[in-house]
Amino acid sequence: MHVIVCMKQAPDPEGPRDAFFINTQDTRVEPRGIPPALSLFDENALEAALRIKDADKENVKITVLCAGKKVSGAVLLKALAAGADSAVMVQGQGLEMENQDSFSSAGLLAAAVAKIGPFDLILTGRQSADSNAGQTGILLAGLLGVPAVSLAQKVSPDKEHVLVERVIQGGCEKLKVPLPCLAVVGNEAGELRYPAMKERRLAKNKPVLDWSMEAMGLDVAPDKKVVLRKLFAPTTRSRQCRFITGAMLAQVLREDQII
Amino acid sequence: MALSDYHYEMSHCHRCSYCKFIPFQLIKSKRFSYLCPSITLRNFHSFSAGGRAALGLAIAEGRLDQYTEMMKQIVFECTMCGACQVQCRTFNFNLNPIEVMQALRTHFVEQGEIVPEHMFVIEGLKREDNVFGEPKKHRGDWAEGLGLKDISREKVDVLLHVGCRMSFDDEFWSVLKMAVEIMQCSGLSVGIAGSEESCCGGRALEMGFEGVFNTFAEAMAGRVKASGAKQVVTLCADCYGTFQEHYPSHGWGLDAEVVHITQFISHLIDQGKLKFKNKIPLSVTYHDPCHLGRRGEPGVQWKGEYKRLAPHLFGPVPEKPIRLGRNGCYDAPRDILQAIPGVELTEMERTREYSWCCGAGGGVLEAFEEMAEKTAHERLLEAEATGAQALVTACPWCERNFRDTLDSSGGSLKIYDIVELVHQAMGGE
Amino acid sequence: MGVVLALVELGRDNKVLPVSLEALSAGKRIAEACGSGLTALVMGSGVDEAAESLRHYQADEILVADHPLLEHYHPEFFAQSLDRICRTIKPGFLVMAETLQTIDLAPRVAFALEAGLVTGCVDLEFDSGETLFIKPVYSGNVMAAYSVEGEPRLATIRAKSFEAAEPGKNSLSDIRSIAIQLDRQGAEIQVVERVLNDHGNGQGLETAEIVVSGGRGLGGPEGFEVLRELAKELGGAVGASRPPCDLGWIAPSVQVGITGAIIAPDLYIAVGISGSTQHVGGMEGAKTVVAVNEREDAPIFKIADYGVVDNYATVLPAFLEGLRQNR
Amino acid sequence: MTIPIEAKKALEEALGSENVSDDPGVIETYSYMNGLGSGATGYWWARPACVVLPGSTEEVQKAVIICNQHKLRFKAHSTGWICCALATSKNCVLMDMRRMDGLEIVEPDGYVITEPYATAGETQVEAMKRGYNPHLVGAGPNASNLASATSMQGTGGTSVRTSMNERNPLAIEWVLPSGEILRLGSLETPNAGWFCGDGPGPSLRGMMRGAAGNIGGNGVFTRIALKLYPWYGPPYECEGRPPFFKSKALPLGYVRYVSWKDRDLECDALYRLGETEILDYSNRWSASALMSSLAISNQDYREMKKKGELHKVFPNGYWTFFFNANSQRQYDYNVKVFEHIIKDTGGTIIDPRDLGDPAYEVAIQNAVRAQWIGKSAYMPTGSNTGVPPLTYETIDQCMKFSLDETISVKKEWIAKNKIYNDGEDNAYACLDENGHFLHVEHAAHSDWAEPEAEPLGIILKGYGRALEKGLGPAYMSMPAGWAKRSEYSRYMVQIQRMIDPNRAADSMLTNAAETMGA
Amino acid sequence: MTAKSRLAQIIGDSQVSDDPADLEGFSTDHSYAGKTTPALIVRPGNPQEIQNVVKLANEMDLNLVPVSSGAPRFRGDSVPSVDGAVIVDLSHMKKIMWINRRNRVALVEPGVTFGELQTELNKHGLRAMFPLAPKSNKSVIGAYMEREPFTVPKYAWDLGDPVAGAEFVLGDGNTMRTGGAAGPAETLEDQRKTGGAQKLPMSPIGMDFRRIAQGSSGNFGICCWISLRCELLPEQEQVFFAGADSPAPLMEAARRFLTLRLMDELYVVNSLNFACLLKTSPEKIHALQEKLPPWILVGGVAGCGDLAKDQFDYKVADLKDEANRFGLSMTPRIGGVSGSAYLSQVVRKCAEGAYWKLRLKGDCREIFFLTPPHKAAGYVEQALDMAGKAGFKEDRIGVYLQMAIQGAVCHCGLDYYVAPDETDSFQPLFMQTSQALFENGAYFSRPYGPWADMVYPRYETFAKYARNLKAIFDPKGVMNPGKLCFKEN
């Protein structure tokens, strides 16, 4: 079984806010002091894939697909160390978040998937850590003409189908979808495992393909429908913490008409 | 500051090669004239502060459209020992190579040009608050049964910040216990954060992960403040240097005096609170850990820019403090060694601000084995050349690297932490 | 230009979700700015009552698509229906609240209509005839303004970002029914089972006005029992930071943070949560934050309005006691 | 230009792949230079095609042969200072000689065998332990003795005693651009060693250099012997912390600043001082240069300049003189005759200590180790273009005729904002060989951050002035000067072509010569 | 037209000679260079005439052998190696073109001898650097162009000293000036107008023809004049001696004295050469030799310039101390010879009457080479040992050890005094000794005559490039062919 996990790299969202320097002139975010990281959402997707592989180590092969203006090999190594078998990176000018929308991203990924070859299952994260759009997975499925399920917290394939647990309000529903298909994985799928030293070393020998846009047969980034107009800093409220005792808490909140 | 903020500095390197040597006033022999481990190992000028400044300049000016593995090696195969910073001022007083190199690393990390080993260190650090990725809950294991105060429960006079290396490398636990015993001579209440202690963040910063560093620094500042401690004592030069240089230069303050164990002990000796009963007949030489010495010099946050002062004359406005490492901690360990009866101290050729690095710092130990080992080996040879029986130092990272190197290269030199000698002289077991 | 179509989502009880009224209000702002009409769309099975309840809300028209296959949300049936409706009425905009349902639905419709979609909008701007959709990007560290090419322009609206639409005094909106053709055989996705738990209260974290969250400091799953009691007392929802979810102390679906729910309740009570960036990114929009942590140096106090430095096991019973005493 | 893959492979085989790099990042670091001779292009120069690190003469030879075979050029550099160290052709393989940094003092014979990357400072330290002192070029102790002796110029403050570097080489081992190894002097005589560099018969040292070298055009000098001079007294030692170190007192060392109001009397004094043969060091400089050495920042420098105190002390520049005697008698005689001559010529002697400790340290460290001269030459702007006429002849010619010509050229450039206003007179000069000749050069600072900066022009202007006035020979001025004395350049180019049939050596001069049509 | 008539056209009939007696004088010398009689002798009187001669030689394929000193000659470099050679006798160009006290410089033509020059220099308070008691007709240029050592090693910075600038007519007929004379001002007068004095020893850049030409036996061109560095004439001077049984301790002390620059004239000779320098007949020589220690260090202490007496006094006092450290005493008299007598007869003096090397036996064969100073004694011992074994008595071998280039090298001169009829029988020993010394590290820096075949096979690359250089400056090979490495194979 061949599982492709689409993983995006974006500046580490857990970095401090001032690390996201906004270049208003060029409408671009320039990270300061923080590395790119695998999108945490996509780490959930990889974890879901690894759990499938856990169940059938011999037959499940995981390919990580990572597209962007610039893909960090070191960062991608984390996915390989965690257990992916190989990686494909697609790099090229114009592939930065500020220049892309979900349609163009999906188009690029679709081309890459076609070049990778046959697959049984594609997993993506719920959304990217940069644009936070949350559409690419479903659009990609559409372009590939395969069914898609989103908000998956558990993905269990058999030979012809995949059983997906999808999060719904107050619970979940189990959906059965024929293969090949795509599942958009939610954070409920769990945190990506932490690779041991040995796996980190082995990961360096795993195959990584580096495709340029030219190799993809794409001259420029595909058309897009959503256009970024400006970027600005969020307004944050400054808070002054008033320290009180537990016994006083209810009283104080009431006095201040919080409750 | 971003890489491009160092444009003036990078574009005013004289290419004089001073950054590779100890100051020419002070050279004592050809054999030990170099001071930069990087250039000594890799030979390409690129592996010197000057080369790195040129690389940074090329990147900042957009002359390079790609990053290569070699470039990554140039940037990261350096212990960030700061020797170049001390030397560089001979021909130009406006350059700060170590800052440029720090900015270069941060830039590379921002660009995703990360050394994989470093990335995993950072991953572990983010998960478990230590650079080894070891379970956080074991961090205080060394102190079990010592009856040390827990700062989360009570206020203390002195916070002992142990650091990752000593917390998780059990070979150092005995040294820690000795240190606690010595510290208790002071009569002050000594506390630790135990399993809640976290990394100082220095390693993360020097690996280029400034954002991660800031997170840890912020936590550290909060923890120190909450502990009520007047002093933070550390046995680790890496932590010491981080607190002294990196915290202030990144705008973080600790509401307590940062004291290295050697300074603490030296003070105890001065106060007469520590008396030596035993004579230790031993000839020693002392290795200055970089982050205790030149990189232990207090840092200052500078916010300004290079401005035109007159035609063709540019300078930092406001004046940028000139950091030459002279205000690091050099005397305390020497005073201690001289106070221990029987110990005879012989200096190596490269000492104090001009110390040759042990090879462990700046992420090298984690990612560049050959450099770590060869750099330590060079220092061991220099120590041996003094004729001393033992090499004494005051940082677990140096000790670790020296011991490992000695194991593989052989040699009769003994490696001590200065605390061990103090404890022995006190009459301890 | 076509109308602004606002999708109104119904709860499990077939009543209008409050968050949909916020989407309606967003739709109204667009309609006013563009000088076009606002149409509310109710989809489901047996939704007359819900449609009727919307008549006071200033929509020019209420469309009702009623079909047995729309009883529960099914990705394909809902997407097909909405696609056809849009093709029929050719709206200029399609807005909906960002919910677990539309997270799935909106991109499907966007694909079907080849239309641009901006998800999770928190504000709107109108600039020389162009509608800009404002949303947080880079996990809330940066705000972005997007425009959408072509029609319809799709957007989902994040809860608590817009004031909910208020019922008007004057005219009542017309209700129009729209026929939907659906075939069960046309679906590739089969619903095998639907599992509901008790804790949801039918109310999502995103829409709750009070959220009580627990972190690693709770020490184990039993700590969440106390939290549930507190949430019940306050009429709020229970949330968690990431570690308890990863450790299995509580269902991951209640995770609050940049990889979980991003919420903005009126009151947020963080118990045993240190305040990592990951967590803060999900809750800093809360109006009031109360933090309970035994470590004085916990970063959570930096973004809290009220802080209690103590063990939760001491604080929460006292708090509950206080709440009950003066009720 | 990128290096052909076969050539790179061949180099890797010859030198080891770790010693060959055409990595773009490495290439960039070898195309930067913002020190001496910042040219028309700013601080970026030609990118070499490849950088290699040969470890032995044989490896150098292999690399040179590979360059010949693949129609590449090559240039070797040692510590890499000044623009001449860089590639000037696009297809250049740059040889960084860092791995060849050996030095061996042959104690009884009084010479040092040095490899390219050994520095003058290191040589001095080892020499002094054995009662010798090497010649130190004014550039500083970081400079490579070999490079200066074979390929560049090589005067310095100690030249009054130790001469300049054209005069100091003994035997020479030299990989010619053709790839052949040429060994000069005693070297090929069995068991002879390195003590002599001329002959047998004609001296082929004559095709190596004149007052200046060929700056890479001659191939690679892999090892040379340099004669050492005596050092009286204990090795110089210094302690302390930067920027101002504390020198240990030399028992019979004497260092003074001297200035004259009258240029003619100054020259008289220089002739007479030279004839006494007492000096171990002589260096002229300006108040501006002294401030550069003393200042710890540009702002500090600017304050000093505003106060102008040093300009009041040294309105006409000043000389630093140093001698180190072997005996008290010698010391007493030296002091006596020194003071006698200065007094007789109306000069003023200033003990540097009277200007403060830093001034003393600058004086003594300059005198012994050529330590701060470089800083004076480069600061405060960070770069220096030595301005011709750069006369190199008699004391009279340099100090009277040349100095004023240069100042007039500099005035023009300062007025146009093309160089920094350092007070116009910022000339450094040193006596050679007891005053038999003298070298003078003028510092001209500029900063590329200044939009008007144009340091190159002043060189050409200076050349022009030197030729026009017949001052000279102006070293480095040859490309321009060749037009006047064509037979010289013609033969030089012929020699070049003879040792370099495939035009493999990359030399700024050779390139310039080609451009001049010589 | 014949070469003779063409030459006569250029420089005048009287300056061209094919008189067999004249030619015979140039056909051989006191060396093993063999005998080749030249075809013609020309005596140009100025640089222009030299140039014309060289141009003609290029045109007519003549071979030119430049000679500037008079007989006796010892090196074989002026004996033609090929038939039909034209001797260019420069000894008539006797102009002392300029003496400048301020810059301590003199310009001389090839025919000027040391005696003539010093006489003029005396008037300006200057002195020239003298080789050890040169023959009276020794050309200054001849000595210096062949890197002959001189007796004041503290002024010997370089083997090329004391030549500063020079003018040459190259082998191809062009003119070249070197050093401070190179320009950029065209004429010497123009150079002097701006303070220039042809003082710089180095040519401008990239190469230095003077250095190439020195030691080349005239293979690259003919020197028309040189400017040479002079030093102040001492106001006070005294010669001291120290004796020893072997040369080694004297050399050791001498090197120390040189380090301290306590002495001007400074060299070591054996008693035989010391006696030869002072005495004119074999008997007197032997008589003096009897009174002398076997080895003698000769040191001249001088006071010059400002406070000359103070300088002299401190040097004398220091010399005493330093000599003591070596267990030597520097005395003003040795073997009855006073320092002042030595000063007046030998220092800055040309040999009067018969040249001192011919006084003992009428002929002399020289072996000379360079060595580091501390090895000189060893080579001397080796040579004497070989001579002894071959039955050539030690009392017929004169030795002169002269340091140069600041003590890095020592010229080691072995003078084998032979009777004119002994020269052939001495030849095998001469060659064996040379060969043995060479193998042992003695550096024959001026490999004249048969030494060329000994030395150059070891210097293949060197010889190749030397020949390539010659091809540049003397493309037709008209200059003194067959010498050194410039033999046709």
Side-chain angles (χ1 to χ4, degrees), chain C residues 208-233:
Chain C
E209 283 170 1
I210 296 178
V211 173
V212 184
S213 277
R216 197 200 284 265
L218 292 186
E222 59 285 352
F224 280 92
E225 292 306 323
V226 194
L227 285 199
R228 285 195 187 97
E229 205 182 322
L230 180 61
K232 202 172 164 194
E233 185 69 31

Side-chain angles (χ1 to χ4, degrees), chain E residues 177-228:
Chain E
R177 283 186 195 161
T178 69
E186 277 291 341
T187 66
L188 302 184
E189 289 65 33
D190 284 345
Q191 290 176 15
R192 286 171 195 160
K193 272 181 205 155
T194 55
Q198 299 85 45
K199 213 34 215 305
L200 197 68
M202 299 84 69
S203 285
I205 197 164
M207 66 121 175
D208 196 336
F209 180 76
R210 183 263 305 166
R211 203 183 272 288
I212 294 171
Q214 276 182 307
S216 73
S217 298
N219 255 272
F220 291 92
I222 297 174
C223 183
C224 306
W225 53 258
I226 62 168
S227 61
L228 70 147

Side-chain angles (χ1 to χ4, degrees), chain C residues 54-238:
Chain C
L54 282 169
R55 293 188 66 196
H56 297 279
Y57 285 89
Q58 298 174 331
D60 297 299
E61 190 182 23
I62 296 166
L63 279 180
V64 177
D66 206 322
H67 192 284
L69 284 178
L70 298 179
E71 187 189 353
H72 295 290
Y73 175 72
H74 184 285
E76 286 162 300
F77 297 149
F78 266 62
Q80 282 165 24
S81 307
L82 193 49
D83 173 31
R84 277 171 216 162
I85 292 166
C86 288
R87 285 177 192 275
T88 310
I89 66 166
K90 299 193 168 34
F93 293 84
L94 170 59
V95 294
M96 46 196 125
E98 187 187 43
T99 63
L100 291 178
Q101 181 176 311
T102 60
I103 283 174
D104 187 79
L105 177 61
R108 291 179 192 271
V109 177
F111 180 77
L113 294 170
E114 293 183 58
L117 161 67
V118 181
T119 56
C121 299
V122 296
D123 203 356
L124 295 164
E125 263 182 41
F126 303 98
D127 178 26
S128 47
E130 193 153 51
T131 305
L132 297 182
F133 300 92
I134 315 293
K135 68 167 288 188
V137 291
Y138 290 100
S139 305
N141 288 306
V142 179
M143 300 301 289
Y146 289 101
S147 65
V148 178
E149 313 276 309
E151 288 192 359
R153 298 170 172 83
L154 272 59
T156 64
I157 305 298
R158 177 160 296 171
K160 308 280 179 188
S161 306
F162 293 82
E163 292 295 319
E166 295 288 332
K169 287 169 190 164
N170 304 331
S171 59
L172 295 181
S173 318
D174 293 332
I175 295 180
R176 182 155 67 95
S177 193
I178 188 161
I180 301 291
Q181 306 287 319
L182 289 172
D183 180 0
R184 192 180 289 276
Q185 304 308 316
E188 284 181 294
I189 301 170
Q190 266 182 296
V191 179
V192 179
E193 190 188 358
R194 192 163 284 124
V195 187
L196 297 175
N197 60 45
D198 306 332
H199 307 305
N201 261 355
Q203 187 183 11
L205 274 173
E206 287 88 346
T207 52
E209 283 170 1
I210 296 178
V211 173
V212 184
S213 277
R216 197 200 284 265
L218 292 186
E222 59 285 352
F224 280 92
E225 292 306 323
V226 194
L227 285 199
R228 285 195 187 97
E229 205 182 322
L230 180 61
K232 202 172 164 194
E233 185 69 31
L234 289 166
V238 172

Side-chain angles (χ1 to χ4, degrees), chain A residues 130 148 150 169 172 237 256, chain C residues 12 104 108 138 195 287 306:
Chain A
D130 46 20
S150 68
Q169 198 57 60
C172 73
R237 214 149 54 78
D256 292 354
Chain C
R12 235 181 267 158
D104 187 79
R108 291 179 192 271
Y138 290 100
V195 187
K287 284 203 185 70
Y306 300 93

